[in-house]
Amino acid sequence: MGEEEDEPSPKLAKIDVELHPFHRLKNPVVLNEVKEKKLVFLHGKVGEDNKDAVVILEKRPFDTSPKGLKSLFSEETKLRQDLLNDIYSTYAAVPTSPHTEIKTTVIYPATTKHIEKYTKQEVEVIEETGDDYKQITLPYLKEENRFSVQWVFNILDKKSESERIVFEDPDPEIGFILLPDMKWDLKDIESLYLMALVHRHDLKSLRDLNKDHLPLLKNIKQRGEDAIQEKYGVKKHKLRIYFHYQPSYYHLHIHFTNIAFDAPGSSVTRAHLLTDVIENIEFMSDYYQKKTMTFVGKRDDKLVTALRKTP
Ligand code: G7M
């Protein structure tokens, strides 16, 4: 510790303890817990006016870099011995930061929709035909039913996260911003997770894509792959590049994840590979206006209820 080869540890931004919702969360209740991922979703109230907050806590993977291991196996780590028998021993180890850090995501003030999104619920398979999309989904996607995409506009307008941008093509037709997804801790390359947000505002999801958008899609694929290889050394054949359908946020965006990582939402019931999307549109321009899209939704979700065909 403190030797010359050690990089200075990143300074934690000072937060106003009085104002920050994390410190004032009252009556936290667990909405969902995924024990094997050491992940918990909580809901609580904040402040005099009891505004809702959702807090997501996730224990970080071990820091197995030489520096991480050096600090783990140092006198700074407190040990409590639980068992000693011949050559076998077990301990409860209490290391110092960064090993004890918990990735924390706060949504505040949270809407009822956020609370529903993170609440454990039964899920079911929904088949949405092209007509269902036009007659049920599209009218449903009115502003008040969707999650706000203000955070996307903040990124595109450089009002938030501008220091995290990995690559930008500013072209209004085929341009996009590539940056780390909120879910990625930026440290563990195996769980690399970035997203490309398109500059144009008129595309909600896969359903809006046709052959006019091929230059946009090909540009994102090519330049996104190049930027990730250059910045993180991850080659294109190690990337899973896909859309979600249904997405949570209806401003077109594409996920880039390391194939070594089983990213949430990367399975067949939600992920659509960018290469497949490009090829399908090349075969048939209105493929995504016609195709029956199968996805998994939560039982009590309003859209799921509206699209459900069997009681
Ligand atoms: O399901 P959908 O395709 O809509 O995925 C949206 C993605 O956006 C998820 O992977 C989220 O983790 C990510 N995301 C959501 N928010 C609110 C933010 C944000 O504020 N910043 C960043 N960088 N990613 C976000």
Side-chain angles (χ1 to χ4, degrees), residues 117 151 155 161 164 179-183 193 195 243-244 246-250 253 255 270:
K117 174 176 160 112
W151 66 273
I155 292 172
E161 302 189 49
R164 288 159 55 94
L179 84 171
D181 190 282
M182 188 167 84
K183 290 201 200 87
Y193 197 150
M195 61 158 72
F243 297 86
H244 274 166
Q246 301 280 341
S248 301
Y249 302 96
Y250 290 86
H253 56 274
H255 304 253
R270 196 151 184 224

Side-chain angles (χ1 to χ4, degrees), residues 206 208-214 217 281 285-286 289:
L206 262 186
D208 288 331
L209 298 177
N210 61 42
K211 69 171 179 5
D212 296 342
H213 308 111
L214 287 171
L217 302 181
I281 294 175
S285 176
D286 58 355
Q289 288 76 62

Side-chain angles (χ1 to χ4, degrees), residues 290-302:
K290 296 225 167 103
K291 187 181 170 10
T292 294
M293 302 289 277
T294 304
F295 64 93
V296 163
K298 290 193 166 158
R299 192 192 55 192
D300 298 336
D301 181 84
K302 278 195 198 144

Side-chain angles (χ1 to χ4, degrees), residues 20 39 47 86 94 101 111 138-139 163 194 222 257 277 298:
H20 197 268
L39 177 62
D86 189 34
V94 186
E101 279 173 21
T111 62
L138 203 50
E163 69 295 346
L194 290 100
Q222 175 77 52
T257 61
V277 171
K298 290 193 166 158

